[in-house]
Amino acid sequence: MLDNRSISGIDAHAHVFSQALTLSGERRYTPGYDATLADYLGHLRAHGLSHGVLVQPSFLGTDNRYLLAALQQAPDQLRGVAVVARDTPRDTLQAMARSGIVGVRLNLVGRALPDFSEHGWKAFFEHIVALGWHVELHREVEALPTLVRELMPFGVKLVVDHFGRPDARLGVEQRGFAQLLELGLSGQLWLKVSGIYRLAGTPAQNLEFACQAMPLLQQSFGLRRLVWGSDWPHTQHETSIGYAGVIEQRQALGWSAPVEQALLIDTPRQLFGFHSP
């Protein structure tokens, strides 16, 4: 059993992959490099972190074999979030759970929202709830509140990526982000403080937005619903930021010791099941 003394910090969002893998035909991005588990674990050590959550990259589709192999190499240190087909058999999901998978990702950036009234979604989410998994949502903030409201009745834990992907240039008052803050009061929603550089503005605008958003997120979600992630290896932004850069961005948010304890240890430990053997 893990306890807080064995956890110095949890990175709640990162990716590993090889450019030699078969890529999804529907991908928006093609990597020109490898993001290896050894490199990732090295970044954790270098920055005083002990554990991480690996998220299946969208360009690998539903082929989670590379992710599962990575989890098997460091089962105590890592948990995983997979991308699976809606009709994946329950025994397959259960086998993935034994390998360290704790959630599934719906990456809907640039896509139409699914019709969750279609046959199959109810059974799928029932499997997710039974496993104790969460559903991770990656979607621009304008459509995110609608997506969240459609999923809430299924009773699944919902985790929002990258601040909800707002446009930093529009400020914290923008409609989608304000609605997201309201939904955060539900207790069914978590949010990843990650990907500051993905917020559509200049580096200064993005960081300013994150600084203004943090107290609002703490008020709405509470510290038990917020986690931090590096988003390593920062796909599509590799030339402008690295692991040290996102650590600097996190430090620029000026967290108190209790906030840091919550976002880096207590909340991700519970959400991602690092308390389990």
Side-chain angles (χ1 to χ4, degrees):
M1 300 285 284
L2 294 170
D3 59 32
N4 283 356
R5 292 171 297 179
S6 65
I7 299 177
S8 61
I10 299 169
D11 176 356
H13 193 105
H15 310 281
V16 293
F17 52 82
S18 168
Q19 61 182 321
L21 296 170
T22 300
L23 305 182
S24 169
E26 298 180 356
R27 65 188 182 276
R28 295 177 291 111
Y29 169 83
T30 301
Y33 60 95
D34 296 340
T36 69
L37 178 60
D39 287 340
Y40 177 61
L41 295 178
H43 286 303
L44 293 183
R45 287 192 298 270
H47 295 284
L49 302 169
S50 56
H51 295 74
V53 178
L54 299 178
V55 179
Q56 171 79 343
S58 60
F59 50 79
L60 293 181
T62 59
D63 184 352
N64 296 280
R65 287 177 294 178
Y66 194 84
L67 169 62
L68 292 169
L71 297 180
Q72 291 171 4
Q73 294 179 58
D76 293 332
Q77 278 184 277
L78 301 173
R79 296 293 184 267
V81 178
V83 175
V84 300
R86 187 181 64 185
D87 59 354
T88 301
R90 186 164 183 169
D91 59 349
T92 300
L93 299 176
Q94 290 171 332
M96 296 173 78
R98 291 191 292 270
S99 297
I101 297 296
V102 293
V104 294
R105 192 186 202 201
L106 293 180
N107 188 338
L108 299 172
V109 170
R111 299 184 179 185
L113 294 183
D115 180 357
F116 293 109
S117 67
E118 288 181 356
H119 177 73
W121 282 112
K122 184 176 184 292
F124 175 73
F125 290 127
E126 286 176 348
H127 294 336
I128 301 305
V129 171
L131 288 165
W133 288 3
H134 67 273
V135 176
E136 180 178 311
L137 304 175
H138 189 203
R139 176 71 180 190
E140 300 92 346
V141 78
E142 308 88 60
L144 192 55
T146 297
L147 175 61
V148 169
R149 291 189 190 100
E150 290 186 4
L151 291 177
M152 278 183 166
F154 292 104
V156 292
K157 294 181 289 188
L158 302 173
V159 180
V160 173
D161 274 353
H162 308 328
F163 285 88
R165 293 297 299 266
D167 186 332
R169 298 167 296 181
L170 303 179
V172 294
E173 300 86 4
Q174 62 192 276
R175 178 179 173 85
F177 189 72
Q179 291 177 332
L180 186 62
L181 291 173
E182 293 178 6
L183 291 167
L185 297 169
S186 68
Q188 195 177 335
L189 197 62
W190 283 254
L191 181 137
K192 290 187 178 182
V193 176
S194 59
I196 291 174
Y197 50 88
R198 297 190 186 275
L199 303 186
T202 66
Q205 288 172 327
N206 292 339
L207 188 57
E208 181 181 6
F209 179 94
C211 289
Q212 292 177 354
M214 275 306 303
L216 301 175
L217 291 169
Q218 291 179 51
Q219 182 179 4
S220 174
F221 286 77
L223 295 181
R224 294 183 179 182
R225 297 287 187 273
L226 298 173
V227 297
W228 173 84
S230 69
D231 194 28
W232 185 83
H234 327 295
T235 54
Q236 303 183 60
H237 296 265
E238 304 93 336
T239 60
S240 61
I241 197 160
Y243 209 104
V246 295
I247 295 293
E248 290 174 2
Q249 289 182 333
R250 190 190 79 204
Q251 293 170 340
L253 298 178
W255 291 348
S256 65
V259 172
E260 190 165 291
Q261 173 73 26
L263 271 68
L264 295 184
I265 298 178
D266 295 341
T267 300
R269 177 179 179 266
Q270 182 68 29
L271 176 61
F272 301 112
F274 283 104
H275 60 287
S276 302

